Amino acid sequence: MTQRTRKLVGTIVIILFVMVYGPIAMTLADSRIAELPGIAQALAYMVLGLVWVVPVLPLIKWMQKPDPDQA
């Protein structure tokens, strides 16, 4: 698979992942986090805002691999 194709596939997967993760995070924020004290809310929002990156990082690394003929 060429790097161009990997980037296309990876971009589509990332968009789909964020479309699923976003509503889940919003549901958690609306139901559970709203009841917490202010500092706990801030920490929870920071975690929810950054945790989506963890499963996406390996995908981004895969997308950036050079083509076999360029290595």
Side-chain angles (χ1 to χ4, degrees), residues 9-32:
V9 170
T11 300
I12 292 169
V13 170
I14 290 171
I15 290 170
L16 291 173
F17 176 76
V18 171
M19 287 174 64
V20 170
Y21 176 76
I24 291 171
M26 287 186 293
T27 302
L28 284 172
D30 191 38
S31 64
R32 304 267 191 246

Side-chain angles (χ1 to χ4, degrees):
M1 186 179 300
T2 65
Q3 186 179 32
R4 182 178 175 141
T5 306
R6 282 193 305 272
K7 286 183 178 185
L8 174 64
V9 170
T11 300
I12 292 169
V13 170
I14 290 171
I15 290 170
L16 291 173
F17 176 76
V18 171
M19 287 174 64
V20 170
Y21 176 76
I24 291 171
M26 287 186 293
T27 302
L28 284 172
D30 191 38
S31 64
R32 304 267 191 246
I33 297 173
E35 302 168 358
L36 297 174
I39 192 77
Q41 283 183 9
L43 289 171
Y45 288 127
M46 284 190 289
V47 168
L48 284 174
L50 294 173
V51 75
W52 69 273
V53 175
V54 174
V56 171
L57 278 176
L59 181 61
I60 292 172
K61 288 181 184 178
W62 172 75
M63 290 165 57
Q64 294 300 318
K65 281 181 13 182
D67 289 341
D69 58 348
Q70 291 180 355

